[in-house]
Amino acid sequence: MESKRQQKFAGVLQEELATLFQREGAEYLPDTLVTITKVRVSPDLAVAKVYLSFLSTNNTGLSIATVNSHAGEIRYKLGARIRHQVRVVPSLTFFLDDTNTYVEHMDKIFDKISKERKEQGKEEEEETTED
């Protein structure tokens, strides 16, 4: 459970990182839209886990690796933006947010269940009309 302080700080980081990626994200990932979906901060506010979602990319693993390789540079730019709001700029680790993939997978499962129920319902109707 995150404290209010952690949640507030995570919100500031998410907002500033989103602005940073919007303005300068093309340096790291050209022709790719990066979305900051979630930020989790450690209790001492020294470590931030940043979850990213990518649009217009075929290889998300490579995209995450690229962003992580530039984590120091991104941290420096973030520090320049939030230096008056925080004492310590947290170290950043970027992760792939696979929520969209999970949602698509669950949608497929629900569609399959729905089709099976419809087919089962039709079979039961046919059995009752034959009797």
Side-chain angles (χ1 to χ4, degrees):
M1 180 86 181
E2 286 185 328
S3 68
K4 289 277 188 194
R5 182 174 173 227
Q6 285 172 283
Q7 291 172 355
K8 207 171 183 182
F9 188 60
V12 169
L13 291 178
Q14 184 172 0
E15 188 177 318
E16 293 298 333
L17 284 169
T19 302
L20 192 107
F21 274 102
Q22 184 180 12
R23 293 183 181 164
E24 301 176 25
E27 292 177 21
Y28 315 116
L29 299 167
D31 302 327
T32 302
L33 179 64
V34 180
T35 305
I36 314 295
T37 56
K38 184 174 23 177
V39 177
R40 297 277 184 233
V41 182
S42 65
D44 64 354
L45 308 180
V47 178
K49 293 180 179 180
V50 182
Y51 293 87
L52 305 176
S53 176
F54 300 98
L55 292 175
S56 305
T57 186
N58 296 330
N59 191 345
T60 54
L62 179 63
S63 297
I64 272 293
T66 303
V67 172
N68 271 315
S69 69
H70 291 285
E73 183 182 340
I74 295 168
R75 180 176 182 240
Y76 178 79
K77 289 179 179 181
L78 176 66
R81 297 180 65 85
I82 65 172
R83 69 179 181 265
H84 298 296
Q85 300 173 31
V86 298
R87 280 185 275 177
V88 177
V89 178
S91 62
L92 304 173
T93 308
F94 296 95
F95 297 94
L96 179 63
D97 184 9
D98 57 354
T99 305
N100 290 338
T101 307
Y102 179 75
V103 168
E104 289 174 8
H105 175 70
M106 293 305 291
D107 282 343
K108 287 178 185 176
I109 290 173
F110 289 135
D111 287 344
K112 182 179 176 184
I113 291 170
S114 176
K115 287 178 184 177
E116 289 174 357
R117 283 186 177 171
K118 286 180 183 177
E119 289 174 4
Q120 190 177 26
K122 287 180 183 178
E123 290 174 3
E124 289 175 0
E125 281 181 25
E126 290 173 0
E127 288 177 6
T128 55
T129 55
E130 290 177 3
D131 292 338

